[in-house]
Amino acid sequence: MSPTSSPDTSSLPVIEPDLEAAATSIDEADAAAQVGSATDAGDTGKPGLAARIAASVSDPVLRILVTATLISRVGRGIFITITVLYFTLIVGLPAHEIAIVLGAASAAGIVASLAGGWLADRMSARRVLLVFTTLEGLGLLCYAATGDFVSALVVAVVVGAFGQGANSTRMAILARAFEPEQRVHARAVLRTVTNVSIAVGSGLGALALAIGTAEAYRILLVAAGALYLLALVRLVKLPASVDAPRAVPPVTGAVEAVAVGDGVGDEGDDDASADRADAADGRSSNAARAATSARPAKRRSRFAHSPWRDPRYLALTGLSAIFGMQFGVAEIGVPLWIAHETDASAVLVSAVLIINTTIVVLFQVPLSRGTHDLRRAGRVSAIAAWLMAATCLVYAAAAGLPVWFSVLFIVLASITHAFAEVLSQAGGWGLSFELADPVQAGTYQGVYSMGYSIGATLAPAVVTATALNMGLAGWAILAVVFLASGLGTWAIARAAANRAERAIP
């Protein structure tokens, strides 16, 4: 929670912490860590790898999300690997129809990102996540039955919409289930797990590519959907604490007076009793009118805490969406640049992907530590901006060089690109959580996710129009765009930190 946030505390319940239980939990965690240290590190006083991994998922909510992600994202890896070739080779769709299908799925995801967070503020986030994940899994199953453009379009829109809706709901759960210093860590752990699972799924998807038959493609698509449905076994165990707190209407003076009036009148004269009864009736009517107007008042309160009335958060979302187009550089720009503008082998594309995945898995969690602090989040965003700008120029320099120099430049750029991605994600997550109004945490996360969806939708056109069509000049334009967006994020974080420090008495 950002120190600058001003939640409507009158609409939130007060929860008294169980200090004794918390102390017991801390003692147990310390004991477990000591056992792990002794076992894995040979009594050196430093926790071993197994102990560190166990500690990173010690929270029960995070453990549930991690295991569900491990299962479902294997299915995601299968889907990513084979879906375009399935449309081309098995369904027989031409390139322009595939582009329409994928574009429609992205557009549906933009709307669903906002809807998922919005629903998580008004309904049980657990149930929303379960429903969305179920529908996404069923959609993946339906891919195996597509046989023409219309059916592929319908299924793609369903999968795209409910997939992004589930992601926004998951972010709302992280915002509520963890303390500020734990949120980014939880998000980093989930992203690391996601990368590992997608890599495994990609390996399984390669089986369909190797076999090449329609049956192999369809069997693996069914397996992908089944893995999403299997993840529900874990998600149903999420506790009620991840849901939005129920609004508690304030106790008005009229209601208190009614309660007092109920206890008097047994003694005293009849006239006084009658007067008190009449007054109680009047106050009951007032209470009824107050109850009748409670719902519009609640809507007004939510509107006052809407992210659409928060220009700082909207600016953060827009800048993060622009920087998020670096994923388009990795997925579209780099493979086509290697294939058409350098003499390097196309195998280098796979090497770049392996480098990226390895760096994300190894460094996302440690480099995300402390980014709940506004200043640190701003600093890592600025570092990411400079790294990404340099990356674009190094990619550009690889063109026209002897093959080994091209390989060297591409590998170097892929390393700096991966670190820019890791740092930008860490800074963005920290700011997206800390600058959000907790009264509508889900809606804020939905808006932030929607921004990324918009950036992902625009990235192919932007990368093609700049780097791929304009060459060195296009790469330079991208470098300036990424630098400006990253430094803009840093400026927002610095201003927020200064404001928070001034607010401290």
Side-chain angles (χ1 to χ4, degrees), residues 28-375:
E28 292 174 353
D30 290 341
Q34 292 172 3
V35 172
S37 299
T39 303
D40 296 327
D43 294 324
T44 62
K46 295 182 179 180
L49 177 62
R52 292 197 301 271
I53 294 174
S56 68
V57 292
S58 59
D59 183 271
V61 173
L62 181 56
R63 193 158 53 245
I64 291 169
L65 293 174
V66 163
T67 52
T69 300
L70 273 172
I71 297 169
S72 64
R73 290 306 183 264
V74 172
R76 182 69 179 171
I78 294 172
F79 171 75
I80 291 172
T81 303
I82 70 176
T83 181
V84 172
L85 291 178
Y86 173 75
F87 284 149
T88 302
L89 302 177
I90 308 303
V91 182
L93 300 183
H96 71 277
E97 290 186 347
I98 294 176
I100 293 174
V101 167
L102 297 180
S106 297
I110 293 172
V111 178
S113 295
L114 182 60
W118 185 86
L119 289 172
D121 281 336
R122 290 156 178 80
M123 302 172 63
S124 167
R126 294 172 297 159
R127 294 174 183 171
V128 172
L129 182 59
L130 287 170
V131 170
F132 281 6
T133 303
T134 300
L135 294 174
E136 185 181 7
L138 293 175
L140 288 173
L141 292 175
C142 291
Y143 263 116
T146 57
D148 54 29
F149 170 70
V150 174
S151 60
L153 180 64
V154 171
V155 172
V157 167
V158 169
V159 172
F162 288 111
Q164 288 300 320
N167 182 65
S168 294
T169 306
R170 197 176 296 109
M171 294 307 99
I173 288 174
L174 292 182
R176 294 195 187 98
F178 300 95
E179 295 299 321
E181 64 273 11
Q182 298 172 326
R183 292 170 187 156
V184 179
H185 169 77
R187 185 70 182 87
V189 169
L190 288 178
R191 185 162 189 266
T192 300
V193 169
T194 295
N195 274 267
V196 172
S197 297
I198 287 179
V200 173
S202 297
L204 294 175
L207 294 175
L209 304 183
I211 298 172
T213 63
E215 290 75 14
Y217 278 92
R218 291 191 173 104
I219 288 172
L220 280 173
L221 284 171
V222 169
L227 286 169
Y228 269 79
L229 299 179
L230 181 61
L232 296 173
V233 175
R234 292 295 295 158
L235 293 179
V236 296
K237 297 182 181 298
L238 285 170
S241 59
V242 304
D243 292 335
R246 293 181 180 273
V248 179
V251 179
T252 65
V255 175
E256 291 174 346
V258 172
V260 172
D262 287 341
V264 296
D266 293 333
E267 299 177 2
D269 58 58
D270 295 338
D271 291 338
S273 298
D275 291 341
R276 283 191 293 268
D278 291 340
D281 289 341
R283 287 188 291 265
S284 297
S285 298
N286 292 335
R289 285 193 296 272
T292 302
S293 63
R295 191 177 299 274
K298 183 178 179 181
R299 285 198 294 267
R300 288 194 297 270
S301 174
R302 288 192 180 278
F303 180 72
H305 295 277
S306 169
W308 301 111
R309 294 168 56 86
D310 189 340
R312 180 180 64 182
Y313 200 85
L314 294 177
L316 170 68
T317 297
L319 292 171
S320 297
I322 292 172
F323 201 94
M325 289 194 293
Q326 57 87 13
F327 288 108
V329 171
E331 296 167 3
I332 299 169
V334 173
L336 294 179
W337 188 254
I338 290 173
H340 298 299
E341 303 297 335
T342 75
D343 293 328
S345 169
V347 176
L348 187 58
V349 175
S350 297
V352 168
L353 177 61
I354 292 171
I355 290 170
N356 178 274
T357 302
T358 301
I359 289 175
V360 170
V361 169
L362 293 178
F363 293 101
Q364 186 68 76
V365 172
L367 292 182
S368 297
R369 291 194 186 105
T371 53
H372 65 282
D373 177 78
L374 295 174
R375 291 197 182 279

